[in-house]
Amino acid sequence: MLKIVVDTREKKPYTFKGHVIRRRALESGDYSLLGYTKKIIIERKSLADLFGTITVRKNLVRFTKELERLRKIPYWFILVDASPTSISKGFRHSRANGFATLCFLFELVFKYNGRVLFAKSRDEASMLIEAMFNGFIETQKN
């Protein structure tokens, strides 16, 4: 059983059946593990949030400050609730080029030494987080 920390600012948190969930303010990111908040962090982005974060200047400034903090975390991820194909097609409420947004997402990930994951649904995203956290915990035992 995992002890998952969910940031208090996360408006629509994923569900994790059979695990302990703690709502706490995280310095950065949206999900972590109790006792490992300085080692592993997941920053979740919906499609709308991704476009709003990357294409609106004030949001990008705030986000790059968060990425600077995340850079100090050994394992950090951006988990996007969308496939690369759907991102590349753009977002109906944004005039930003979808493929350019996807490229810029990868640019940020490389610049700040993170990783990016894509999930087609909230259920898939929850499963990915659970699998990543289980894999991480196993590495901590050795």
Side-chain angles (χ1 to χ4, degrees), residues 106-117:
F106 279 106
E107 183 181 329
L108 290 172
V109 167
F110 285 119
K111 181 176 181 179
Y112 293 98
N113 199 31
R115 297 148 188 95
V116 65
L117 300 167

Side-chain angles (χ1 to χ4, degrees), residues 84-95:
T85 301
S86 62
I87 295 167
S88 71
K89 290 179 181 177
F91 181 63
R92 69 178 179 264
H93 298 295
S94 173
R95 286 187 245 164

